[in-house]
Amino acid sequence: MTGHPERAARFIELPQRAAWHDQSLWFVRARRDKAVRTLPEWESLREAAAAIKAHTVSKLADYLEEFERNATRLGAHVHWARDAHEHNQIVLKILQGHGVKRLVKSKSMLTEECHLNPYLEEHGIEVVDTDLGERIVQLANEPPSHIVLPCIHKKKEEIGELFHEHLGTDAGASDPQYLTEAARGHLRDRFLRADAGLTGVNFAIAATGGFVVCTNEGNADLGASLPPLHIACMGIEKLIPGPQDLGVFLRLLARSATGQAITTYSSHFHGPRTGGELHIVLVDNGRSRVLDQDDFRRSLNCIRCGACMNTCPVYRRSGGHSYNAVVPGPIGSILEPARDPARHASLPHACSLCGSCSDVCPVKINIHEQLLIWRRELAQQKLLPFTKRIAMTLTSALFQRPRLYAFAGKMGRMALRVLPRFMVYNRLNPWGRQRELPPAPPQSFRELYQIRHGR
Amino acid sequence: MAADSRSAILSAVRSAKVPPVDRPAAFTAGIHYADPALQFAESLQLVGGRCLRATTIADARAQLQATGLVTPERRICSLIPGIVSPTFHLDQVDDPHTLEDIWLAVLPGEFAVAENAAIWLPTDRIKHRVVPFLTQHLVLVVSSGEVVHNMHEAYQRLTLGARGFGVFLSGPSKTADIEQSLVIGAHGARSLHVVLCDEPAGAA
């Protein structure tokens, strides 16, 4: 199985495109910075959010029960799913019970995690993703490459071709305004024909039994307000204690995600609408296991804003698909190995440990520290690739022997000076692949130190 | 099986060794502005909406007329008496699917938030809650005295927990999914006007 380095290598085969991707995301990061600077209380907001999350997970079972009680009181049906498969079965059963043939969906990373779409399609249900970016990747038969900006990797010309093929837009047309208008017509038609709507959940409020869904397009609201059946799917970590906590999280979410002060629509659902039905599916799928791990518990704070992706030098230059994961980027490199360490063993190494992700995280997850801990875990579980294992063993042996280390340093400096180019720049030295090695200094640090301090 | 999953999840969550953490005090240190109504208008402009300041409903009516949106040959509905001449009444509509071609909806917002241009729009008085999302153009009318500074004040005002649907709505529907180019009018309303009106609006 290929890992992140191999897939990233394919992404950077087109340097101009990689640079374009890098700049697109940096632009979003810059917008986030601008929005953050308008609020003097930003850092205390982050503290508050982290404290609310830490408290919530410490009483999560109580809050889940409180939420269930209140949601049921409001007339919603609450379901519990231990894993992805059970979640998919529950959703399918509800849909079949209502004779649903056509489902409109708004963005839900949880249903991506559970691979709900292919499951429903296998059972004869038409699923239309209605977030524009998600619809684009759905038509392209690709997974999203970013959790907030699903088709950030696509050029408008490619989207134009896709729309020409599927929606009948003019050949060669690539104007975003024109393409969005075409999608608007196409998707509004799907909303009107849908038998049921499925949404994700951004925040679920224990004290009221309601939940909040945030979008810019209005697709969640159209999907949940036209058909008579609404299904909302959420991980159990989406709970917050009360409505006043929403003030903190809604102020952080959009500013961190896109630099907006708030999303266009922050919709508060409390119970089904008159004559309609509302089902809420609570999903564990490994979350309770993470809850039990001191080192990784804080990863459950994540509100899926994507800020860590936009700032990550590795994500920006390697693209979301190189992670081969539902949630890519820094936070994904923690969440995904927690679900399947063998499959995602390369991800915690797709990181320079620069710490920028932790700096921008609105809920103060120590992302880069957790990535480092994951590297140790993976080494202990013997999940490192052979070359890395050998290199680590050799380096470790070297670092434990100061004299050998000094000697190796000397040899290395000499080798860089005297060896012919082909001996240094070859396939045994991955560090020489895309860069020139620096000129070897005449003295080592230790030699310099001795000279300057006369020891 | 369903009951089993419920107890399995709850017991897994309960048995996780999570150190107790007290619930933090409510966060109240939100930003304040010298003139919240002015800040609201500026925030609204940033998100692609337009703020109209009106002294009376008659004044608001004249200003809305001047936008060119009030075209009687299209379908217009309103829950604010006297502000436009509606062409149909929502209460007479049974199936929301027939509202597909609404051109303009004028609805009452409860209050406005200066920091982000959000309007709290409860839908208990709107027979079909899909209206603010389905209409091509949306006008929200808010009393000019009802502008709070930030979201913390907003939630202090709200009493949630009763059955119903409400939305913080900030600007017209938008997307930037295609190469980060901002396009106004994704699936929902193509334009949003917020009328801050000194005269209280009576319910229709």
Side-chain angles (χ1 to χ4, degrees), chain A residues 77-148:
Chain A
H77 303 268
V78 178
H79 308 261
W80 302 74
R82 269 173 294 192
D83 54 27
H85 183 63
E86 193 176 6
H87 161 266
N88 293 350
Q89 285 179 322
I90 291 171
V91 173
L92 178 66
K93 200 170 159 213
I94 300 168
L95 294 176
Q96 286 177 336
H98 289 76
V100 170
K101 291 268 170 272
R102 289 179 297 252
L103 176 71
V104 283
K105 260 183 77 199
S106 69
K107 206 185 275 167
S108 153
M109 291 320 296
L110 176 74
T111 60
E112 293 282 340
E113 173 187 324
C114 296
H115 302 289
L116 177 68
N117 286 18
Y119 181 82
L120 294 181
E121 283 159 1
E122 275 166 31
H123 289 85
I125 291 169
E126 179 200 272
V127 183
V128 174
D129 280 322
T130 58
D131 172 81
L132 177 57
E134 289 218 317
R135 184 64 179 149
I136 290 167
V137 292
Q138 188 183 33
L139 290 175
N141 207 12
E142 289 175 14
S145 71
H146 186 290
I147 60 174
V148 173

Side-chain angles (χ1 to χ4, degrees), chain A residues 340-360:
Chain A
D340 188 346
R343 183 183 148 94
H344 299 291
S346 68
L347 298 191
H349 291 272
C351 164
S352 67
L353 297 176
C354 75
S356 182
C357 47
S358 306
D359 284 345
V360 297

Side-chain angles (χ1 to χ4, degrees), chain A residues 2 10 39 43 75 132 147 198 224 232 301 305 352 369 376 386 403 424 437 443:
Chain A
T2 58
R10 285 203 294 275
L39 292 185
E43 288 305 318
L132 177 57
I147 60 174
L198 187 147
N301 286 12
C305 71
S352 67
E369 290 169 10
R376 192 186 64 206
F386 177 73
R403 279 163 195 274
V424 178
L437 296 178
Q443 285 135 341

Side-chain angles (χ1 to χ4, degrees), chain B:
Chain B
M1 178 165 169
D4 285 348
S5 297
R6 180 184 185 278
S7 52
I9 293 170
L10 285 172
S11 80
V13 170
R14 266 211 176 90
S15 65
K17 291 171 285 301
V18 187
V21 180
D22 284 341
R23 185 167 181 188
F27 190 94
T28 50
I31 192 166
H32 274 66
Y33 304 96
D35 181 347
L38 182 68
Q39 176 64 39
F40 171 79
E42 281 173 13
S43 300
L44 183 58
Q45 199 178 2
L46 276 180
V47 296
R50 218 181 123 203
C51 184
L52 306 174
R53 308 285 293 263
T55 51
T56 61
I57 294 293
D59 177 18
R61 185 184 175 95
Q63 291 194 46
L64 283 179
Q65 202 66 46
T67 62
L69 288 173
V70 189
T71 45
E73 64 275 14
R74 314 240 204 181
R75 293 183 84 193
I76 296 175
C77 65
S78 168
L79 292 184
I80 314 279
I83 202 162
V84 290
S85 305
T87 61
F88 75 102
H89 290 282
L90 276 179
D91 288 340
Q92 290 159 8
V93 174
D94 286 326
D95 180 1
H97 290 81
T98 63
L99 296 169
E100 156 186 26
D101 57 347
I102 296 190
W103 174 251
L104 176 69
V106 185
L107 304 171
E110 196 169 298
F111 62 89
V113 186
E115 72 160 315
N116 56 18
I119 304 286
W120 176 249
L121 178 65
T123 58
D124 46 344
R125 281 163 55 201
I126 309 171
K127 184 174 172 191
H128 300 290
R129 74 179 195 201
V130 77
V131 170
F133 310 102
L134 203 51
T135 184
Q136 298 288 330
H137 299 276
L138 179 62
V139 174
L140 296 177
V141 184
V142 181
S143 173
S144 57
E146 305 288 343
V147 184
V148 300
H149 292 272
N150 57 57
M151 291 303 284
H152 310 298
E153 294 183 5
Y155 279 106
Q156 273 163 20
R157 279 191 58 148
L158 283 180
T159 313
L160 295 172
R163 187 166 156 178
F165 173 82
V167 55
F168 277 111
L169 196 156
S170 169
S173 159
K174 62 177 89 59
T175 182
D177 274 343
I178 302 179
E179 283 200 13
Q180 288 300 296
S181 303
L182 180 68
V183 179
I184 303 277
H187 308 312
R190 297 174 188 273
S191 78
L192 172 71
H193 286 80
V194 175
V195 180
L196 286 185
C197 188
D198 299 337
E199 180 188 349

